[in-house]
Structure formats: structure tokens, C-alpha cells
Amino acid sequence: MKLLSLVLSALLLTACSSGPRIDHSYTASGQNSRVQYIVLHYTSTDLPHSLQLLTQEEVSAHYLINTVPPTIYQLVDENRRAWHAGVSEWQGRTWLNATTIGIELINQGYFDTPKGRYWQPYAQPQIDALIVLLKDIMQRHQLPPGSIIGHSDIAPQRKVDPGPLFPWKQLADAGLMPWPDAAMVAREQAVFTVSPPDVAWFQQQLAGLGYEVPNTGELDDATRNVIRAFQMKYRQALYDGQPDAETAALLLVLNRMGKA
């Protein structure tokens, strides 16, 4: 009797340690990926320091891409949350760590010199590797074009990465994001040059794309930062945060594309 009791106890312990028995015969059709966006960053440092920061500190990312060779490191499983976005908002969603995949690119960012700010360019092999990775992620998570955003898009008051030298147009040419048609932009720019919109219009258009922007009608520092973030993505030749005619044209064309 004592032996039987020991056997039953052992079986019970084994059952408890192995977890519940779950039937996986059925799969619900009403579901999709938890991933809504992919957020791009630069590391502001070299590979050894980046690996140390992203694996041994609080901050983390799902992927890290080196320059030469363009190695792709996976640091966090895509089904788990990485700590890369911080306080953030896009298209009304906040605290985006839970709904994003974060990709860090080895890049020093910028240096302030007596002659002005210097931005480090991105290595083409690194961008080629990134595009391959982005296509794979978007296919597996069934993300629509336009789901790739920069850290500066979701936190324009405190972040500038991936910076004005990041080649967003290459991502558009690869079919990963929409891009404003140059002829349409030129037509709208001519109209806005004669009749420029007010600041409230810019704020509404930026919000329509997904940015968190004040709705005050005033050209305050926060609004300038959001305009600058937009310009660093779509008009990299000039990103001064000024609400000018070309920026207005770019905004209008992109918003029309989103509603088409």
C-alpha cells in the first residue's frame, strides 16, 4: 500500500511538472499577428558595445544588423517583447514595444563638429541585408506596405534615428512602403506656394499619417520636431522643421495615397 502511494505521488508530480494536456486540433480563424509595425533604429555605437548594451542591459531589440560583414543577429524572439521603443505613439497606438519588432542598425548616428553636424552614411550591404529581413518579416506577419517606421516617427520629441541619411527611398523601391509621386508633389507644391496652409492644417495632416502632434494651431517646438521627423524621412535635403510648400505637398500626396 505504501509502495502504491509512492507510485501515485510520483505520477502526480510528473503530470504537474509537464503542464496541462492541451488539444491543438482546432485553430481559430479570427486572429492575426501581434506585430503591427517594424521600428528602425541606429545604435550610435560599434558592434561590440551594441551587443553588450542590447544583451546585458535593460534595452533590447529583436534584430541587430552589422555593417561589414552585414550579419543579422536575432537577440529576441519575435513572439516576445523587446525594449526598444520606449514612450512612443503611432496611429493612436501607444507604448509600442508590445506591438512592434525592433531592428537596430550598427551606425554611429551623428557627430557635432565646428563645421556642423556630421551624419554617418549607411553601408549598402547592410541596407541590402535589412531589405531581405524586412521582406521576410512582413510576409510572415502579413504586414501592409507602410508598416515600417523610424524611431523618430514614434518619438519625435526625443529621437532622431535612423536619421536623415537612412535610405527610405530604397525601401519604397523594394515595395516595402509607399512613396509620394514626384509629379504629383510638384503640382501640389505650386498651389501651396501661392496659397500656403496654416499650421493647424499641417498638424492635421501629420496626425493623419500617424504622428503624435499638438493640435493647437501654433508652430511650437513640439510641432517643429514632428515636421522635422517627417522631413528626415521624405525630404532629406532639408529638414529644418519649417512648414513650407514642399512639405505640405508631400503630406497631402501621402495622405491621399493612404485613402485611395
Side-chain angles (χ1 to χ4, degrees):
M1 190 68 180
K2 185 176 181 181
L3 178 60
L4 178 59
S5 178
L6 289 172
V7 170
L8 290 173
S9 297
L11 289 172
L12 181 60
L13 288 172
T14 301
C16 291
S17 64
S18 63
R21 295 182 59 187
I22 299 176
D23 190 324
H24 295 279
S25 302
Y26 302 92
T27 301
S29 60
Q31 61 174 296
N32 62 3
S33 173
R34 69 156 192 91
V35 177
Q36 300 295 311
Y37 311 107
I38 303 169
V39 182
L40 304 182
H41 311 254
Y42 60 53
T43 60
S44 300
T45 188
D46 57 17
L47 178 63
H49 193 210
S50 296
L51 285 169
Q52 187 269 326
L53 288 173
L54 293 171
T55 61
Q56 300 178 36
E57 306 292 337
E58 289 285 325
V59 65
S60 59
H62 294 90
Y63 294 97
L64 172 68
I65 306 180
N66 193 22
T67 51
V68 181
T71 308
I72 301 174
Y73 300 90
Q74 182 168 12
L75 308 179
V76 177
D77 188 280
E78 289 182 9
N79 291 321
R80 296 184 64 81
R81 184 183 318 195
W83 302 103
H84 65 98
V87 180
S88 51
E89 181 171 335
W90 188 251
Q91 294 179 337
R93 295 181 174 90
T94 59
W95 294 94
L96 297 175
N97 282 330
T99 56
T100 57
I101 288 176
I103 300 177
E104 293 272 2
L105 300 164
I106 297 293
N107 184 284
Q108 295 287 341
Y110 65 85
F111 304 94
D112 286 323
T113 73
K115 295 183 178 180
R117 179 163 290 185
Y118 166 79
W119 295 84
Q120 181 183 0
Y122 287 85
Q124 189 57 50
Q126 183 185 43
I127 298 303
D128 293 339
L130 171 65
I131 289 173
V132 172
L133 176 61
L134 289 172
K135 287 183 176 180
D136 177 62
I137 293 172
M138 292 184 73
Q139 189 276 328
R140 287 187 287 102
H141 292 276
Q142 298 181 315
L143 298 178
S147 301
I148 305 166
I149 48 182
H151 203 182
S152 55
D153 292 321
I154 64 174
Q157 307 306 327
R158 60 187 183 87
K159 294 295 181 179
V160 294
D161 56 317
L165 295 188
F166 181 80
W168 290 103
K169 182 63 164 55
Q170 285 193 45
L171 271 57
D173 292 341
L176 294 169
M177 59 183 291
W179 198 259
D181 178 77
M184 294 175 64
V185 171
R187 287 196 297 270
E188 298 298 340
Q189 183 176 348
V191 175
F192 286 129
T193 299
V194 176
S195 179
D198 59 17
V199 173
W201 183 93
F202 278 91
Q203 292 172 335
Q204 292 165 5
Q205 293 292 317
L206 288 162
L209 285 182
Y211 289 94
E212 180 189 13
V213 61
N215 185 25
T216 61
E218 301 293 329
L219 187 58
D220 50 24
D221 287 342
T223 300
R224 288 181 187 273
N225 288 338
V226 179
I227 294 173
R228 187 177 295 112
F230 171 80
Q231 292 168 337
M232 282 196 297
K233 192 171 187 177
Y234 293 103
R235 193 190 67 182
Q236 297 178 325
L238 181 61
Y239 47 94
D240 56 1
Q242 290 297 320
D244 55 32
E246 185 179 8
T247 303
L250 288 163
L251 278 167
L252 183 62
V253 171
L254 280 165
N255 270 313
R256 284 178 175 172
M257 291 171 64
K259 295 171 183 176

